[in-house]
Amino acid sequence: MKVETITYKGGLVYILDQKKLPQKKVYIKCSRYQQVADAITRMNIRGAPAIGVAAAMGIALGMSELKTKNKVDFFNQLDKISRDFAKTRPTAVNLFWAIDKMVKCAHRCEEKSLSSIKKLLIKEAIDIYNKDIQTNKKIGKYGAQLIHKKAMILTHCNAGALATAGYGTALGVIRKAHEQKKNIKVFVDETRPYLQGARLTAWELKEEKIPFTLITDNMAGYFMYQGKINVVIVGADRIAANGDVVNKIGTYTVSVLARKHNIPFYVAAPVSTFDITKSSGKEIVIEERNFQEVTHIGKKRITPKGIEVANPAFDITPHDDITAIITEKGVIKPPFKKNIKRIIGNK
Ligand code: MRU
């Protein structure tokens, strides 16, 4: 199955509306960059690599919309659009990585005509998209070597084709192991409150005909206790220099359970997800989202009115709980600080 999470076609950006999945497969047609930025903020598109690609395409779209013939105006506008994208979501570093790549691309060719710079920005965004798919396939290959035959794998949130340009990171590993006919079985955490597992991962695995069981987040411990889960694999939104991993809320809980049951805990993420300017996970900003994601399911309120609610979208899994981090450059094992530096370098 080829899921088109996002595409740049005919001067427009098309975003698969993940809020409508799995009930409806509809695309949001964006002719202005602000529509792309809003789609990121509202989580019509989500997942660290996917929002990086969306920002890149959004910047390319915003710049090609410009009518100015003046270079100073053009570059001022690039700053403004980049700042607007940087405000969309705070945690996944791939967003800032992609914005930086687009700004550098424009400055590299600032001597050229404005129409050439616009074309080069579109090319850069499409390159980021294509490279993300290639990267995920490499992650899948490295990761599948760690997955044994008949593995019973738990995954949290959605780190699949929908969270990337295609193929997925954690789900890319699962996809590859399935392609290799390893006879695997997957447990999918529903992932409260936004239900990325129940809505999106379940949809992708069903489409791919990969056997899985959907569970609520609080069931994972019970299945581990029963010996029904023997490997965990998740994605990441940002990885600090010491190997601490920021990922969807609930990932930390799963890592503690995995350690208690001696189950390997793998993180699959591209090099663009590392932020070596952060020495530990504690320095990473955790997004706090609207309380209604907790008090409501869909449009229906499930709680009393007027209560105090917290909704951090991510948590920090300490590097000590992680068995290995699977990247497109290979598998990084402890000691993480040393090995991240060796494999990632300065990105
Ligand atoms: O809030 P979301 O849905 O954007 O969070 C997504 C996750 O936490 C994913 O696990 C992570 O981005 C990795 S996606 C390959």
Side-chain angles (χ1 to χ4, degrees):
M1 176 199 51
K2 172 105 171 68
V3 180
E4 288 276 29
T5 309
I6 181 164
T7 40
Y8 197 106
K9 243 190 326 217
L12 299 170
V13 176
Y14 293 85
I15 292 174
L16 177 58
D17 188 351
Q18 299 191 27
K19 288 177 104 157
K20 298 231 159 70
L21 284 173
Q23 283 81 10
K24 282 189 196 145
K25 203 174 159 194
V26 288
Y27 282 84
I28 302 169
K29 187 168 150 185
C30 307
S31 54
R32 286 174 298 110
Y33 85 86
Q34 197 58 53
Q35 293 172 290
V36 180
D38 290 346
I40 299 174
T41 307
R42 296 187 190 134
M43 287 176 69
N44 303 97
I45 184 162
R46 31 63 53 201
I51 64 178
V53 173
M57 290 188 175
I59 291 172
L61 179 68
M63 296 315 288
S64 60
E65 277 173 64
L66 289 182
K67 299 273 179 287
T68 183
K69 302 221 170 349
N70 178 306
K71 257 196 194 166
V72 176
D73 282 356
F74 183 87
F75 278 93
N76 284 343
Q77 204 50 32
L78 175 66
D79 280 352
K80 185 197 173 317
I81 294 176
S82 304
R83 279 198 307 274
D84 286 348
F85 276 103
K87 280 186 252 166
T88 52
R89 292 193 73 189
T91 305
V93 76
N94 309 62
L95 175 78
F96 306 97
W97 169 86
I99 294 170
D100 188 54
K101 268 185 100 65
M102 294 300 285
V103 170
K104 283 191 175 136
C105 167
H107 283 287
R108 250 195 332 267
C109 53
E110 65 188 0
E111 298 309 321
K112 296 192 191 294
S113 68
L114 291 184
S115 71
S116 306
I117 303 175
K118 288 177 183 178
K119 280 190 196 130
L120 287 165
L121 283 171
I122 295 170
K123 185 180 170 299
E124 181 76 358
I126 293 171
D127 266 10
I128 291 174
Y129 169 92
N130 286 327
K131 280 194 187 132
D132 187 57
I133 299 176
Q134 290 161 17
T135 294
N136 295 336
K137 290 192 171 160
K138 285 186 194 154
I139 292 173
K141 240 185 189 167
Y142 283 120
Q145 290 168 9
L146 303 168
I147 306 295
H148 51 79
K149 281 189 184 144
K150 296 190 180 163
M152 295 170 289
I153 310 165
L154 176 72
T155 190
H156 190 72
C157 193
N158 172 268
L162 293 167
T164 61
Y167 204 75
T169 56
L171 274 200
V173 173
I174 289 170
R175 215 180 283 275
K176 187 70 193 172
H178 177 73
E179 281 165 22
Q180 292 172 342
K181 308 214 176 332
K182 286 196 167 157
N183 202 11
I184 54 166
K185 168 139 180 43
V186 184
F187 282 87
V188 176
D189 267 351
E190 81 174 330
T191 320
R192 276 279 289 153
Y194 207 73
L195 305 174
Q196 288 93 331
R199 295 187 302 109
L200 308 175
T201 302
W203 182 74
E204 282 196 39
L205 292 176
K206 184 163 182 254
E207 293 279 311
E208 288 289 340
K209 299 189 173 54
I210 299 175
F212 72 96
T213 302
L214 175 67
I215 59 174
T216 64
D217 302 333
N218 50 0
M219 294 175 187
Y222 176 61
F223 285 107
M224 287 184 185
Y225 179 81
Q226 287 187 312
K228 291 192 175 160
I229 291 168
N230 53 25
V231 50
V232 176
I233 177 153
V234 296
D237 286 84
R238 203 184 281 229
I239 304 175
N242 69 347
D244 288 355
V245 166
V246 169
N247 190 48
K248 181 51 54 195
I249 191 78
T251 304
Y252 171 52
T253 318
V254 174
S255 80
V256 174
L257 281 169
R259 187 165 41 144
K260 164 86 184 164
H261 294 90
N262 283 320
I263 294 170
F265 183 95
Y266 297 117
V267 175
V271 166
S272 55
T273 301
F274 287 78
D275 180 359
I276 51 165
T277 69
K278 304 285 184 263
S279 57
S280 84
K282 285 196 180 120
E283 293 171 29
I284 297 170
V285 177
I286 302 292
E287 177 181 13
E288 184 74 29
R289 291 192 62 85
N290 193 304
F291 71 91
Q292 288 188 344
E293 289 175 1
V294 177
T295 55
H296 289 62
I297 292 191
K299 290 204 167 82
K300 194 168 168 45
R301 174 183 284 279
I302 53 161
T303 66
K305 286 185 180 163
I307 57 169
E308 197 175 308
V309 177
N311 187 15
F314 303 97
D315 61 23
I316 304 156
T317 299
H319 58 275
D320 284 347
D321 283 355
I322 298 165
T323 311
I325 305 174
I326 307 153
T327 75
E328 71 273 30
K329 290 197 176 178
V331 176
I332 308 178
K333 292 189 177 149
F336 285 116
K337 200 168 164 189
K338 184 168 143 238
N339 291 336
I340 286 173
K341 206 168 186 187
R342 187 170 55 81
I343 296 191
I344 307 297
N346 293 325
K347 277 201 187 175

